[in-house]
Amino acid sequence: MTDDIILRAEGIRKSYGDLEILKGVDFSIRKGESCSIVGKSGSGKSTLLNVLALLDKKDGGKIFYDGSDTDLFSEKDVVDLRRSMIGFVFQNSLLFEDFSAFENVLITLTIAGLKQKEAMEKAEDVLISVGLKERMSHRPKELSGGERQRVAIARAICNDAGLVFLDEPTGSLDEESKSNVEELLFSHMMRKERSLVIVTHDADLSMKADSRYVLRGGILERV
């Protein structure tokens, strides 16, 4: 196995009742690499993302992070991995609506165990880095769709996550917002050598990734 592979999955299977969604998926991603996954609606793309990010349990196969077999992880190990290495951005951002952009990022850092002063400084820094210096005090309902996604991305990377999963990050955005978020993903985030796994219906976004996959019939194929 190549030393710079941050995530490797072998033979991943997942079913819901009698319906088998993933039928032996193999996948790997290197540090600093971006990968896109496309497929028809209902093909299991979001399911695969959730399984790879350890948000959902697989029914078979193996998942390794930095060479470590996650089957051997305790629940605490999984929680620690998510806090220290993994970021996740959902299509609808899933922000806390009663919190400001700053507070949405701050709570993530607080949960991760940072002391208040350090957490506040880091929350401010990461929001500035994604272009929201003037919008930190605004609540989600006061932000545009693109700005909401920037907050979600800031929240995903504030713990210096080396691997960020993104589920349709531009799916609900207008063209200008989509362009801004894409620029953020493939400039700022890649300069930081973060690895990206992007599920998308957007062919243009998919083509910008270093490697591209299609999920069909429960099998992931490189294209």
Side-chain angles (χ1 to χ4, degrees):
M1 183 181 67
T2 306
D3 289 339
D4 65 350
I5 290 178
I6 189 171
L7 165 65
R8 178 166 57 95
E10 300 175 348
I12 300 303
R13 295 184 175 275
K14 179 68 179 178
S15 299
Y16 293 106
D18 294 331
L19 181 61
E20 190 174 22
I21 304 297
L22 305 176
K23 302 177 181 180
V25 167
D26 297 324
F27 176 77
S28 66
I29 184 169
R30 292 177 169 80
K31 295 174 183 176
E33 182 183 10
S34 60
C35 297
S36 64
I37 300 173
V38 301
K40 294 180 179 179
S41 295
S43 61
K45 301 185 302 298
S46 294
T47 296
L48 175 58
L49 216 61
N50 288 334
V51 168
L52 293 177
L54 306 183
L55 295 174
D56 199 0
K57 293 186 181 298
K58 55 184 172 55
D59 295 327
K62 290 282 190 179
I63 296 175
F64 300 86
Y65 273 88
D66 277 343
S68 297
D69 183 352
T70 59
D71 284 349
L72 305 178
F73 285 12
S74 66
E75 288 188 14
K76 181 180 182 301
D77 291 334
V78 172
V79 170
D80 289 344
L81 179 71
R82 290 200 201 110
R83 287 178 177 174
S84 64
M85 185 182 290
I86 298 173
F88 205 108
V89 178
F90 299 90
Q91 180 176 358
N92 60 359
S93 73
L94 291 185
L95 302 178
F96 296 109
E97 295 294 331
D98 292 333
F99 289 7
S100 68
F102 178 79
E103 290 166 336
N104 264 277
V105 178
L106 180 64
I107 192 171
T108 301
L109 292 166
T110 301
I111 291 171
L114 271 68
K115 294 183 178 179
Q116 185 176 19
K117 184 175 185 294
E118 183 182 0
M120 292 179 70
E121 290 175 351
K122 195 162 189 177
E124 182 175 348
D125 287 345
V126 74
L127 283 165
I128 290 172
S129 77
V130 299
L132 292 175
K133 182 178 181 180
E134 309 300 328
R135 308 292 281 171
M136 282 192 259
S137 63
H138 290 68
R139 294 185 179 183
K141 66 181 179 181
E142 301 169 316
L143 302 174
S144 69
E147 288 169 339
R148 289 172 65 101
Q149 277 300 67
R150 283 175 174 263
V151 177
I153 290 169
R155 192 172 60 179
I157 66 175
C158 67
N159 64 347
D160 298 321
L163 176 58
V164 180
F165 296 92
L166 303 107
D167 193 355
E168 297 286 359
T170 62
S172 59
L173 303 181
D174 58 41
E175 285 302 317
E176 181 179 358
S177 297
K178 183 166 66 173
S179 177
N180 290 336
V181 169
E182 287 178 2
E183 171 65 19
L184 173 62
L185 294 179
F186 291 103
S187 60
H188 173 79
M189 292 181 73
M190 298 312 293
R191 283 200 305 272
K192 299 289 187 179
E193 295 189 339
R194 291 187 171 96
S195 304
L196 307 178
V197 182
I198 307 168
V199 158
T200 183
H201 282 101
D202 187 328
D204 291 337
L205 175 58
S206 173
M207 290 300 293
K208 291 180 180 179
D210 297 322
S211 54
R212 295 169 294 281
Y213 296 82
V214 60
L215 184 63
R216 59 166 68 96
I219 301 296
L220 191 67
E221 301 171 357
R222 187 159 183 166
V223 295

